Amino acid sequence: QSALTQPASVSGSPGQSITISCTGTSSDVGGYNYVSWYQQHPGKAPKLIIYDVYKRPSGLSNRFSGSKSGNTASLTISGLQAEDEADYYCSSYTSSITSNWVFGGGTKLTVL
Amino acid sequence: QITLKESGPTLVKPTQTLTLTCNLSGFSLTTVGVGVGWIRQPPGKALEWLGIIYWNGDQRYSPSLRSRLTITMDTSKNHVVLTVTNVDPVDTATYFCAHRPSSWYTLDYWGQGTLVTVSS
């Protein structure tokens, strides 16, 4: 299956809010409420920040929020901070009989 | 505390078979619903889903790599093994294993990753 579609890059100033989109199909993003978002700093492993479209792991800042409409999921980061600068990946469960997950192409967030 | 750690060769020659081990701690792969997935990331590129093995031995693989991948588990040793046959330089990547919790459709804990280079 094809990777989910994300913008290559987004940017924002400290304190602002940004939104990253993740577009799939009715077989993945649109078909299930099982979208996750991961944050990855250079040289580090991905870190789960959102699961089941909008849920946050325990202890994670509420500046991170998720939503979904149709085949497109979104990650919003409010009150941007310098440490938010990282790569962000979406992922979705998929109904493919041969696979269970699909990832997005990633989005580089730059905090200006 | 759940931790995962990948291990294996750092350099593999083209056409050889790559074998990576993911050592698990803090959870058991015999717990109903639990899974361990494999994901890779070529240098400077995006994450790529490879496959997953579940507590009951069920496996799922990326359609594009299915013919070359095998994921197995050894519950007595509490580890999961990924095998990639007939490797090519395009398989050069950091390989991650990750924990799939029993109640959620996500990967909540990741290993640190291990960089594998395919070169003659």
Side-chain angles (χ1 to χ4, degrees), chain A residues 1 34-36 38 40 43-48 50-52 57 87 89 91 93 96-106, chain B residues 39 41 45-50 52 54 58-64 66 96 100 103-113:
Chain A
Q1 68 276 17
Y34 297 142
V35 176
S36 297
Y38 301 90
Q40 186 182 33
K44 301 294 186 180
K47 173 187 176 182
L48 177 67
I50 295 287
Y51 67 99
D52 289 357
D87 293 323
Y89 293 91
S91 176
Y93 184 81
S96 166
I97 61 172
T98 60
S99 182
N100 279 161
W101 265 273
V102 62
F103 279 91
Chain B
I39 305 94
Q41 185 172 39
K45 296 189 177 181
L47 299 173
E48 179 184 19
W49 168 256
L50 298 180
I52 189 169
Y54 291 99
D58 187 27
Q59 303 143 51
R60 294 285 184 266
Y61 297 101
S62 165
S64 62
R66 178 180 179 81
F96 297 98
R100 187 265 185 178
S103 303
W104 308 335
Y105 286 85
T106 191
L107 301 169
D108 58 351
Y109 291 92
W110 293 58
Q112 63 189 22

